[in-house]
Amino acid sequence: MSTMFRMCFLLIFISPALAVLCNPTDKKALLQLKQDLNNPYLLASWDPPDSDCCYWDTVTCDRKTHRIISLTILDNFPFSNFSAQIPPSIANLPYLQSLEFHKLPNLTGPLQPAIAKLTQLTFLRISWTNISGPVPSFLAQLKNLTYLDLSFNNLSGTIPSFLSQMPNLGTLHLDRNHLTGSIPESFGFFKGSSPGFYLSHNNLSGHIPKSLNNLNLTFIDLSRNNLEGDASMLFGSNKTVLTVDLSRNHRLAFNLSNMVFPSSLTSLDLNHNKVYGGLPQELTELSLEYLNVSYNSLCGKIPVGGKLQSFDIYSYLHNKCLCGSPLPPCT
């Protein structure tokens, strides 16, 4: 078979097949969604009649079924005209595994209940928007969800306990909202693997649940809330936590002297609290990349060794009587 013949064969028989990858039901759903979102410029590539929706921007199709499995609506245009609410027509894409609305400051209204129909979702990110209202209970229907990010929004109300019943949830971002109340006691009893918690920059109050001792978290950020009392349950030799940020709660108070830290810990931020005692020698054995214990009530000499002297004085300032390098010598 000549080279020219093979090229003609490919053009005749393969090219038409490529032109019909897009499932017509999914294409119709996307065009309806575009219309419901007020035809924003950032979806300009979603243009019929003959284009293949599997090649439209922000859309990903499954390689075998050609059904749409991923949709990312992200605004990178400084003068975009995007202004809308999440429409019910989002439910017309039932094969979605990943859905993202990100950096859309004029996306308003509550979280759309129709999202509950997208039961194949494993990844849901709706962040940096102006959606408001409570964290809705319909999210409990998304049993396959492993990653939930609702950060940088205007969500209010309390953190619902049903989140701990989601069997596959591995990462939870609720940071930078206006959430109030306490962290649910049920968060110490997640059905699936212990998730990473990001709950910072809210108005959470009360004590950190002792039940969190049951979890082996990798990341936990509870900073910039109004939490109080003990946080020792987050540490222990049997843990594998990498990052703990409890900074700027102002009322967390516990003795650091006898704390047992996991060998995995690389970042610890306790600044602006009421932590007391001294810095344990064990800290010199950790491969710390970040440490801040400033603005607490710590006393005694900073242990010498490990990474502790590699941090500047601002990591240790404004304690009760902490001394030693990099602070002035103890007297």
Side-chain angles (χ1 to χ4, degrees):
M1 185 182 295
S2 69
T3 301
M4 182 63 71
F5 181 82
R6 284 196 296 267
M7 290 178 63
C8 291
F9 178 85
L10 290 172
L11 289 172
I12 293 172
F13 292 100
I14 297 180
S15 294
L18 290 175
V20 294
L21 288 181
C22 176
N23 183 280
T25 302
D26 287 352
K27 185 172 186 178
K28 181 180 179 181
L30 285 177
L31 293 175
Q32 181 63 55
L33 181 64
K34 179 183 178 183
Q35 180 180 327
D36 293 343
L37 291 172
N38 301 318
N39 297 302
Y41 177 75
L42 58 91
L43 301 181
S45 72
W46 295 14
D47 188 23
D50 299 322
S51 59
D52 189 338
C53 72
C54 286
Y55 296 99
W56 290 355
D57 291 341
T58 78
V59 171
T60 303
C61 290
D62 184 89
R63 292 185 178 182
K64 293 183 179 180
T65 66
H66 310 306
R67 301 306 298 259
I68 292 173
I69 58 171
S70 176
L71 175 61
T72 300
I73 300 181
L74 167 66
D75 194 353
N76 284 321
F77 299 96
F79 304 107
S80 171
N81 64 337
F82 189 98
S83 179
Q85 296 188 12
I86 301 174
S89 55
I90 191 67
N92 296 331
L93 295 167
Y95 292 90
L96 279 180
Q97 298 172 21
S98 175
L99 175 62
E100 182 171 3
F101 290 90
H102 184 54
K103 289 189 176 180
L104 301 166
N106 293 318
L107 185 69
T108 60
L111 280 167
Q112 172 54 243
I115 291 174
K117 297 180 180 180
L118 303 175
T119 56
Q120 294 193 34
L121 279 181
T122 60
F123 182 100
L124 177 61
R125 173 183 281 150
I126 302 175
S127 61
W128 294 78
T129 77
N130 266 307
I131 62 167
S132 56
V135 178
S137 59
F138 67 72
L139 293 174
Q141 300 176 46
L142 303 177
K143 304 295 186 183
N144 292 312
L145 209 60
T146 62
Y147 187 101
L148 176 60
D149 183 355
L150 301 177
S151 62
F152 289 85
N153 293 305
N154 283 315
L155 298 175
S156 58
T158 59
I159 297 176
S161 60
F162 73 78
L163 291 171
S164 64
Q165 301 303 303
M166 300 179 74
N168 295 297
L169 193 61
T171 301
L172 175 63
H173 281 271
L174 295 176
D175 41 310
R176 294 184 185 261
N177 281 286
H178 305 289
L179 300 172
T180 56
S182 59
I183 300 171
E185 188 73 25
S186 65
F187 270 34
F189 305 98
F190 263 79
K191 278 191 171 182
S193 60
S194 297
F197 288 156
Y198 299 85
L199 307 179
S200 70
H201 293 78
N202 281 290
N203 297 307
L204 302 176
S205 58
H207 290 76
I208 298 173
K210 292 182 179 180
S211 63
L212 293 191
N213 183 60
N214 299 324
L215 298 183
N216 193 4
L217 301 165
T218 304
F219 303 94
I220 183 163
D221 186 355
L222 306 179
S223 63
R224 294 178 183 266
N225 283 290
N226 298 305
L227 300 170
E228 60 183 279
D230 189 21
S232 62
M233 76 291 293
L234 302 177
F235 305 100
S237 60
N238 61 331
K239 307 287 188 180
T240 57
V241 65
L242 298 173
T243 299
V244 177
D245 189 348
L246 305 175
S247 62
R248 293 183 181 272
N249 276 281
H250 300 287
R251 293 191 294 170
L252 286 173
F254 53 96
N255 190 342
L256 204 63
S257 299
N258 299 316
M259 194 71 65
V260 177
F261 295 100
S263 60
S264 57
L265 190 66
T266 60
S267 179
L268 177 64
D269 195 345
L270 303 176
N271 80 79
H272 286 84
N273 280 294
K274 294 182 178 180
V275 181
Y276 56 92
L279 295 178
Q281 183 68 32
E282 183 190 11
L283 284 173
T284 63
E285 302 172 10
L286 302 179
S287 299
L288 290 171
E289 298 174 5
Y290 182 84
L291 175 69
N292 192 337
V293 294
S294 64
Y295 291 89
N296 279 288
S297 299
L298 296 168
C299 259
K301 184 179 180 180
I302 298 173
V304 176
K307 296 289 191 69
L308 296 189
Q309 277 65 49
S310 68
F311 303 110
D312 60 30
I313 61 172
Y314 299 103
S315 295
Y316 302 101
L317 282 179
H318 298 284
N319 274 284
K320 187 175 181 181
C321 49
L322 204 58
C323 59
S325 178
L327 294 177
C330 301
T331 57

